[in-house]
Amino acid sequence: DGGITQSPKYLFRKEGQNVTLSCEQNLNHDAMYWYRQDPGQGLRLIYYSQIVNDFQKGDIAEGYSVSREKKESFPLTVTSAQKNPTAFYLCASSRGQGFSYEQYFGPGTRLTVT
Amino acid sequence: SQQGEEDPQALSIQEGENATMNCSYKTSINNLQWYRQNSGRGLVHLILIRSNEREKHSGRLRVTLDTSKKSSSLLITASRAADTASYFCATDAYSGAGSYQLTFGKGTKLSVIP
């Protein structure tokens, strides 16, 4: 988990509320990513960012929003429009955004919405 | 979309035995990566193998890649209880405008019994 922090580890929210998950890295990586993991499933890409002030939608961006105002920070907002937000959210970063780069992951945030 | 698919879904072995996990994918790749995830934690990168490589070693890990069969295998030799985790393969997928993203399989859950 070294170099990438996610907070909080557990998050509980009521349905209809927006919630923001924090992701910070001190690896000086250009690219950052947000994934969602459901029980027994692989990771699905929500959003990614190659450079500051730029980001692209992944496979399941609906109901989520991001910002990349600083190189080291890539917060994810889960909006009330996300129909099934309860999941384990993982943030990752990599030195570049090409296919040759390994990704470094944070410890994850488990979000429960009731 | 999930390109990689691991097999078996779950594997239980005795400490000291070897563990083999397989990954199949659908379209051509530039490289394939293997990651490990301990329960409730983030993923940790294990090894990257390029499409022009057939075999790669790292400690007790051996990865093979057969691009003609679109498959890869991860072998963990002399397993330890600490190897208990889920293992994911990830392949690169072109996502447009010169960008690539990793697509993850659903993983193989390995249990090593002491």
Side-chain angles (χ1 to χ4, degrees), chain B residues 10-113:
Chain B
L11 180 61
S12 184
I13 60 173
Q14 296 288 330
E15 201 165 28
E17 293 180 339
N18 294 343
T20 299
M21 288 157 268
N22 303 296
C23 170
S24 59
Y25 56 92
K26 297 184 176 65
T27 61
S28 62
I29 58 172
N30 294 289
N31 64 49
L32 185 144
Q33 303 184 39
W34 284 92
Y35 288 80
R36 164 195 168 124
Q37 183 181 33
N38 287 75
S39 181
R41 305 291 299 274
L43 277 69
V44 175
H45 181 263
L46 294 177
I47 202 163
L48 180 154
I49 186 165
R50 303 189 191 285
S51 59
N52 61 354
E53 297 176 310
R54 291 297 166 258
E55 189 170 311
K56 204 161 181 180
H57 295 253
S58 177
R60 292 183 297 112
L61 305 181
R62 173 178 164 244
V63 168
T64 61
L65 180 64
D66 187 336
T67 53
S68 66
K69 295 181 180 177
K70 292 188 171 57
S71 68
S72 174
S73 67
L74 169 67
L75 168 68
I76 303 174
T77 60
S79 64
R80 305 166 182 167
D83 294 328
T84 294
S86 291
Y87 293 82
F88 295 88
C89 68
T91 54
D92 57 84
Y94 186 62
S95 52
S99 297
Y100 289 83
Q101 63 185 57
L102 285 183
T103 59
F104 290 82
K106 294 183 180 180
T108 290
K109 191 168 186 177
L110 174 66
S111 299
V112 181
I113 303 164

Side-chain angles (χ1 to χ4, degrees), chain A residues 1 37 50 97 99 103, chain B residues 1 31 35 37 41 99-100:
Chain A
D1 300 344
Q37 185 178 32
Q50 299 182 69
Q97 212 275 324
F99 50 80
Q103 294 188 8
Chain B
S1 56
N31 64 49
Y35 288 80
Q37 183 181 33
R41 305 291 299 274
S99 297
Y100 289 83

Side-chain angles (χ1 to χ4, degrees), chain A residues 58-74:
Chain A
D59 296 325
I60 55 165
E62 186 176 347
Y64 300 98
S65 65
V66 293
S67 62
R68 187 87 186 274
E69 297 176 2
K70 298 186 294 182
K71 187 175 185 177
E72 59 270 21
S73 179
F74 191 40

